[in-house]
Amino acid sequence: MAGKPKLHYTKGRGKMESIRWLLAAAGVEFEEEFIETKEDLEKLRNDGVLLFQQVPMVEMDGMRMVQTRAILSYIAAKYNLYGKDLKERAWIDMYVEGTTDLMGMIMYLPFQPADTKEKNLALIIERATTRYFPVYEKALKDHGQDYLVGNKLSWADVHLLEAILMAEECKPDVLSAFPLLQAFKGRISNIPTIKKFLQPGSQRKPPTDERFVAVVRKIFNI
């Protein structure tokens, strides 16, 4: 029997966090091998296991997978979180790309210069509340189901919950104008596998702080 997926990344959220979320939502146990120094990263590169010299990298099903989107779509398809047909998959992809854009803005905020952080934080809130969350609020209203696509949990739902929680870390009442998203957050958070991942002591990583930013800068020479 194949072993657990092994995740290679730094000991923080970054691009691996959505992969942790999706595996957890699918009920898949995984191991992590943390890159804690520049030397750890160089060893992976020198061993030739990183296709494009980059992480995240996930060892799974006899493959060493890189590129976040490729890893996520493989997990979603394998664990039946990718819709029932091409049309549903296209909708899932569109919703996921939207949440990825929003989460990218939030992910890079701690790495920005102090004098631009306030302006960029305001932009994140503005985009979340006028560009992204209205789309998902309308989707839930028009669809009339508990989930964004079809009537079962998909990658799009898991990704949206992750994005909501990240946005709430920026502004706790960011969902105040979105009652359907508030209800969605409650429903999806209570799915047993996700509820477990949201408990203290899980493999979910904390928000990025200055100490972690310093570690990342050192490892990746940025």
Side-chain angles (χ1 to χ4, degrees), residues 30-64:
F30 56 88
E31 297 171 349
E32 300 192 78
E33 195 159 300
F34 295 118
I35 297 165
E36 300 189 73
T37 65
K38 201 171 164 182
E39 290 70 33
D40 292 343
L41 180 61
E42 282 308 312
K43 186 178 187 311
L44 284 175
R45 286 174 171 164
N46 294 335
D47 288 350
V49 298
L50 301 179
L51 198 60
F52 300 109
Q53 309 285 308
Q54 294 170 304
V55 288
M57 190 265 279
V58 174
E59 294 186 72
M60 185 175 181
D61 297 343
M63 294 187 289
R64 289 184 174 124

Coordinates of all heavy atoms in Angstrom, one line a residue, residues 30-64:
F30 N -1.4 13.2 5.8 CA -0.1 13.5 5.1 C 1.0 13.8 6.1 O 0.8 14.1 7.2 CB -0.3 14.6 4.1 CG -0.8 15.9 4.7 CD1 0.1 16.9 5.2 CD2 -2.2 16.2 4.8 CE1 -0.4 18.0 5.8 CE2 -2.6 17.4 5.3 CZ -1.7 18.3 5.8
E31 N 2.2 13.6 5.5 CA 3.4 13.9 6.3 C 4.1 15.2 5.7 O 3.8 15.5 4.5 CB 4.4 12.8 6.2 CG 3.9 11.5 6.8 CD 4.9 10.3 6.5 OE1 5.8 10.5 5.7 OE2 4.6 9.3 7.1
E32 N 4.9 15.9 6.5 CA 5.5 17.1 6.0 C 7.0 17.0 6.3 O 7.4 16.6 7.4 CB 5.0 18.3 6.7 CG 3.5 18.5 6.4 CD 3.0 19.8 6.8 OE1 3.2 20.8 6.1 OE2 2.3 19.9 7.9
E33 N 7.8 17.3 5.3 CA 9.2 17.5 5.5 C 9.6 18.9 5.3 O 9.5 19.5 4.2 CB 10.0 16.6 4.5 CG 11.5 16.4 4.9 CD 12.1 15.2 4.3 OE1 11.6 14.1 4.5 OE2 13.1 15.4 3.6
F34 N 9.9 19.6 6.4 CA 10.1 21.1 6.3 C 11.4 21.5 5.8 O 12.5 20.9 6.1 CB 9.8 21.7 7.7 CG 8.4 21.5 8.1 CD1 8.2 20.8 9.3 CD2 7.3 22.1 7.4 CE1 6.9 20.6 9.8 CE2 6.0 21.9 7.9 CZ 5.8 21.2 9.1
I35 N 11.4 22.5 4.9 CA 12.6 23.2 4.4 C 12.9 24.3 5.4 O 12.1 25.3 5.5 CB 12.4 23.7 3.0 CG1 12.1 22.6 2.0 CG2 13.6 24.6 2.5 CD1 11.6 23.0 0.7
E36 N 13.9 24.2 6.2 CA 14.2 25.1 7.3 C 15.4 26.0 7.0 O 15.6 27.0 7.7 CB 14.3 24.4 8.6 CG 13.0 23.7 8.9 CD 12.9 23.1 10.4 OE1 12.8 23.9 11.3 OE2 13.0 21.9 10.5
T37 N 16.2 25.6 6.1 CA 17.4 26.3 5.8 C 17.6 26.4 4.2 O 17.0 25.6 3.5 CB 18.7 25.7 6.4 OG1 18.9 24.4 5.7 CG2 18.6 25.5 7.9
K38 N 18.5 27.3 3.8 CA 18.8 27.4 2.4 C 19.4 26.1 1.9 O 19.2 25.6 0.8 CB 19.9 28.5 2.3 CG 20.0 29.1 0.9 CD 20.9 30.3 1.0 CE 21.4 30.7 -0.3 NZ 22.3 31.9 -0.2
E39 N 20.2 25.4 2.8 CA 20.8 24.1 2.5 C 19.8 23.0 2.2 O 20.0 22.2 1.3 CB 21.8 23.7 3.6 CG 23.0 24.5 3.7 CD 22.8 25.9 4.3 OE1 21.8 26.1 5.1 OE2 23.5 26.9 3.9
D40 N 18.7 23.0 3.0 CA 17.6 22.1 2.7 C 17.1 22.2 1.3 O 16.8 21.2 0.6 CB 16.5 22.3 3.7 CG 16.9 21.9 5.1 OD1 17.9 21.2 5.3 OD2 16.1 22.3 6.1
L41 N 16.9 23.4 0.9 CA 16.3 23.7 -0.4 C 17.3 23.3 -1.5 O 17.0 22.6 -2.5 CB 16.0 25.2 -0.6 CG 15.4 25.6 -2.0 CD1 14.1 24.9 -2.3 CD2 15.2 27.1 -2.0
E42 N 18.6 23.7 -1.3 CA 19.7 23.3 -2.2 C 19.8 21.8 -2.4 O 20.0 21.3 -3.5 CB 21.0 23.9 -1.8 CG 21.2 25.4 -2.1 CD 20.8 25.8 -3.5 OE1 21.4 25.1 -4.4 OE2 20.1 26.7 -3.7
K43 N 19.6 21.1 -1.3 CA 19.7 19.6 -1.4 C 18.6 19.0 -2.3 O 18.9 18.2 -3.2 CB 19.6 19.0 0.0 CG 19.8 17.5 0.0 CD 19.8 16.8 1.3 CE 20.2 15.3 1.3 NZ 19.5 14.6 0.2
L44 N 17.4 19.5 -2.2 CA 16.3 19.1 -3.0 C 16.6 19.4 -4.5 O 16.4 18.6 -5.4 CB 15.0 19.8 -2.6 CG 14.3 19.2 -1.4 CD1 13.1 20.1 -1.1 CD2 13.9 17.8 -1.6
R45 N 17.1 20.6 -4.7 CA 17.5 21.0 -6.1 C 18.6 20.1 -6.6 O 18.5 19.7 -7.8 CB 17.9 22.5 -6.1 CG 16.7 23.4 -5.9 CD 17.2 24.9 -5.8 NE 16.0 25.8 -5.9 CZ 16.1 27.1 -5.5 NH1 17.2 27.6 -5.0 NH2 15.0 27.8 -5.6
N46 N 19.6 19.9 -5.8 CA 20.8 19.1 -6.3 C 20.4 17.7 -6.5 O 21.0 17.0 -7.3 CB 21.9 19.2 -5.3 CG 22.5 20.7 -5.3 OD1 22.4 21.4 -6.3 ND2 23.1 21.0 -4.2
D47 N 19.4 17.2 -5.7 CA 19.0 15.8 -5.9 C 18.2 15.6 -7.2 O 17.8 14.4 -7.5 CB 18.2 15.3 -4.7 CG 19.1 15.1 -3.4 OD1 20.3 15.2 -3.6 OD2 18.5 14.9 -2.3
G48 N 17.8 16.7 -7.8 CA 17.0 16.6 -9.1 C 15.6 16.2 -8.9 O 14.9 15.8 -9.8
V49 N 15.0 16.5 -7.7 CA 13.6 16.1 -7.4 C 12.6 17.2 -7.7 O 11.4 17.0 -7.6 CB 13.4 15.5 -6.0 CG1 14.3 14.2 -5.8 CG2 13.7 16.5 -4.9
L50 N 13.1 18.4 -7.9 CA 12.2 19.5 -8.2 C 12.2 19.9 -9.7 O 13.2 20.4 -10.2 CB 12.7 20.8 -7.4 CG 12.7 20.6 -5.9 CD1 13.2 21.9 -5.2 CD2 11.4 20.2 -5.3
L51 N 11.2 19.6 -10.4 CA 11.1 19.7 -11.8 C 11.5 21.1 -12.3 O 12.3 21.2 -13.3 CB 9.7 19.4 -12.3 CG 9.5 19.1 -13.8 CD1 10.3 17.9 -14.2 CD2 8.0 18.9 -14.1
F52 N 11.1 22.1 -11.6 CA 11.5 23.5 -12.0 C 12.3 24.2 -11.0 O 12.3 25.4 -10.9 CB 10.2 24.3 -12.4 CG 9.4 23.7 -13.5 CD1 8.2 23.1 -13.3 CD2 9.9 23.7 -14.8 CE1 7.5 22.6 -14.3 CE2 9.2 23.2 -15.9 CZ 8.0 22.6 -15.6
Q53 N 13.0 23.4 -10.1 CA 13.8 24.0 -9.0 C 13.0 24.7 -8.0 O 13.5 25.6 -7.2 CB 14.9 24.9 -9.6 CG 15.7 24.4 -10.7 CD 16.7 23.4 -10.2 OE1 17.5 23.7 -9.3 NE2 16.7 22.2 -10.8
Q54 N 11.7 24.4 -7.9 CA 10.8 25.2 -7.0 C 10.0 24.3 -6.1 O 9.7 23.1 -6.5 CB 9.8 26.0 -7.9 CG 10.4 27.1 -8.7 CD 9.4 27.7 -9.6 OE1 8.8 27.0 -10.5 NE2 9.1 29.0 -9.5
V55 N 9.6 24.8 -5.0 CA 8.6 24.1 -4.1 C 7.3 25.0 -4.2 O 7.4 26.2 -4.6 CB 9.1 24.0 -2.7 CG1 10.1 22.9 -2.7 CG2 9.7 25.3 -2.1
P56 N 6.1 24.5 -3.8 CA 5.8 23.2 -3.2 C 6.2 22.0 -4.1 O 6.1 22.1 -5.3 CB 4.3 23.3 -2.9 CG 3.8 24.6 -3.4 CD 4.9 25.3 -4.1
M57 N 6.5 20.9 -3.3 CA 6.6 19.6 -4.0 C 5.9 18.6 -3.1 O 6.0 18.6 -1.9 CB 8.1 19.2 -4.2 CG 8.3 18.0 -5.1 SD 8.4 16.5 -4.2 CE 10.1 16.5 -3.7
V58 N 5.1 17.7 -3.8 CA 4.4 16.7 -3.1 C 4.7 15.4 -3.6 O 4.6 15.1 -4.9 CB 2.8 17.0 -3.2 CG1 2.1 15.8 -2.5 CG2 2.4 18.3 -2.5
E59 N 5.2 14.4 -2.8 CA 5.4 13.1 -3.2 C 4.1 12.3 -2.9 O 3.6 12.2 -1.8 CB 6.5 12.5 -2.4 CG 7.9 13.1 -2.6 CD 9.0 12.3 -1.9 OE1 9.3 11.2 -2.3 OE2 9.5 12.9 -0.9
M60 N 3.6 11.7 -4.0 CA 2.2 11.1 -3.9 C 2.0 10.2 -5.1 O 2.3 10.5 -6.2 CB 1.2 12.2 -3.9 CG -0.2 11.8 -3.7 SD -1.3 13.3 -3.6 CE -2.9 12.5 -3.3
D61 N 1.6 9.0 -4.8 CA 1.2 8.0 -5.9 C 2.4 7.7 -6.8 O 2.3 7.6 -8.0 CB 0.0 8.4 -6.7 CG -1.2 8.5 -5.8 OD1 -1.2 7.9 -4.7 OD2 -2.2 9.2 -6.2
G62 N 3.6 7.7 -6.2 CA 4.8 7.4 -7.0 C 5.3 8.6 -7.9 O 6.2 8.4 -8.7
M63 N 4.7 9.8 -7.6 CA 5.1 11.0 -8.4 C 5.7 12.0 -7.4 O 5.4 12.0 -6.3 CB 3.9 11.6 -9.1 CG 3.3 10.8 -10.2 SD 2.0 11.7 -11.1 CE 0.7 11.8 -9.8
R64 N 6.6 12.8 -8.0 CA 7.0 14.0 -7.3 C 6.4 15.2 -8.0 O 6.9 15.6 -9.0 CB 8.6 14.1 -7.3 CG 9.2 13.0 -6.4 CD 10.7 13.2 -6.4 NE 11.3 12.3 -5.4 CZ 12.3 11.4 -5.8 NH1 12.7 11.4 -7.0 NH2 12.8 10.7 -4.9

